[in-house]
């Protein structure tokens, strides 16, 4: 089992070391992921529960909203 894991590790390690264009593409992918998850989340997806569930617990607020929206579509 240990030998198999070591062979897999060496396979990927040698593959990434011999890349030239692939490193640039991986860098672009990582930058895009950072932009999507770090920057866009902060500015375009605010924490809705923190703003609206002030007096009640978050689970009570979600349950109430689901029931109300189910009754009054």
């Amino acid at each position: 089992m240990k030998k198999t894991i070591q062979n897999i590790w060496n396979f990927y390690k040698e593959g990434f070391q011999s890349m030239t264009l692939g490193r640039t593409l991986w860098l672009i992918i990582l930058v895009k992921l950072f932009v999507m998850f770090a920057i866009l989340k902060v500015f375009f997806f605010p924490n809705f529960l923190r703003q609206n569930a002030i007096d009640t617990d978050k689970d009570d607020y979600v349950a109430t909203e689901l029931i109300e929206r189910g009754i009054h579509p």
Side-chain angles (χ1 to χ4, degrees):
M1 179 70 178
K2 186 177 179 182
K3 183 72 171 164
T4 304
I5 293 172
Q6 189 175 12
N7 286 339
I8 293 171
W9 174 257
N10 287 334
F11 174 75
Y12 282 104
K13 182 180 162 190
E14 291 171 7
F16 280 110
Q17 285 177 346
S18 64
M19 272 199 255
T20 54
L21 178 63
R23 290 183 187 190
T24 307
L25 294 176
W26 275 108
L27 181 64
I28 292 170
I29 290 169
L30 292 175
V31 168
K32 287 175 74 173
L33 286 173
F34 175 76
V35 167
M36 285 191 315
F37 288 110
I39 297 174
L40 291 180
K41 184 181 183 317
V42 171
F43 291 111
F44 295 108
F45 302 107
N47 192 344
F48 186 76
L49 285 177
R50 188 184 310 153
Q51 295 171 356
N52 295 324
I54 297 170
D55 296 334
T56 60
D57 290 332
K58 292 179 182 179
D59 54 349
D60 291 335
Y61 177 77
V62 171
T64 305
E65 286 294 315
L66 287 172
I67 291 170
E68 290 297 320
R69 291 181 186 193
I71 294 172
H72 307 289

